[in-house]
Amino acid sequence: MFRLVILSLVLLLSACTTSRIADDIEISPATTVALLPLVNHAQTPLAGERAEDILASIWQQNKLPKLLRAPRNSSKDLPPLDDQYRLNNAMQWLNTQQADYVLSGSIEEWRYKAGLDGEPVVALTLLLTKNGETTPIWTGTIAKSGWGRDSIAATAQDVIVDLVSYIEVSE
């Protein structure tokens, strides 16, 4: 019996989630939100772009207000890995848009742990700011370690679903 309890605790703790999220925020369905490139602090190349794609999909699935995405490099060259370059281009683009809010953030972790199981680990921060202001009106951070057979994309979806669930559309 004691071994069963220990095994259960080990399994429970091996897929942990840590979160720090401000209270729910409500935004009008008529608003427009601009998504800036997510800054990649992880060692995995293009993790920010992967997270942006997942975020945009989940945003639409949750029927949140219109989401504008900053255009990506359309050349056939490799995409720029310099986040500052991507952010500068996105800020120029943002100045031409009529967005009410700006959604930005960063990727802190996007990798598989070393070890036998190689669990995926994703840590993500999102900030929602009124366009033209610098102080966020909402922030959320979640870090999650998945199970050994999970993919990074599946773990990232869980993290982003959790974060986006705090953003609601007012009636």
Side-chain angles (χ1 to χ4, degrees):
M1 181 67 174
F2 181 73
R3 285 185 179 178
L4 182 61
V5 171
I6 296 297
L7 179 62
S8 296
L9 285 173
V10 168
L11 288 175
L12 179 68
L13 294 175
S14 65
C16 294
T17 301
T18 303
S19 61
R20 298 266 186 235
I21 300 172
D23 293 333
D24 291 358
I25 184 163
E26 288 189 8
I27 55 178
S28 167
T31 61
T32 301
V33 178
L35 175 61
L36 293 182
L38 299 178
V39 177
N40 184 12
H41 296 296
Q43 294 180 356
T44 305
L46 304 175
E49 290 186 356
R50 293 175 189 168
E52 292 163 27
D53 291 340
I54 294 169
L55 175 58
S57 175
I58 291 170
W59 187 274
Q60 183 177 2
Q61 291 169 19
N62 287 347
K63 296 179 176 41
L64 292 169
K66 183 178 181 180
L67 184 70
L68 302 173
R69 295 183 65 184
R72 291 189 179 159
N73 186 3
S74 61
S75 76
K76 294 183 182 184
D77 297 332
L78 290 174
L81 298 177
D82 180 7
D83 286 330
Q84 192 59 53
Y85 175 82
R86 292 179 63 225
L87 277 173
N88 289 343
N89 286 344
M91 293 305 289
Q92 290 176 0
W93 165 82
L94 181 60
N95 291 333
T96 67
Q97 303 301 308
Q98 298 295 320
D100 302 300
Y101 297 97
V102 176
L103 187 61
S104 60
S106 60
I107 309 296
E108 281 68 49
E109 265 190 294
W110 189 282
R111 65 181 177 90
Y112 288 97
K113 285 184 185 178
L116 291 176
D117 291 335
E119 297 98 351
V121 180
V122 173
L124 176 68
T125 298
L126 291 178
L127 302 102
L128 187 66
T129 309
K130 287 188 178 181
N131 194 3
E133 296 184 10
T134 57
T135 304
I137 59 172
W138 176 87
T139 62
T141 300
I142 294 184
K144 180 177 182 178
S145 173
W147 297 99
R149 301 231 170 168
D150 287 346
S151 69
I152 289 210
T155 304
Q157 286 175 12
D158 291 345
V159 166
I160 293 170
V161 164
D162 287 349
L163 278 172
V164 170
S165 71
Y166 289 90
I167 302 172
E168 300 174 354
V169 177
S170 59
E171 297 297 323

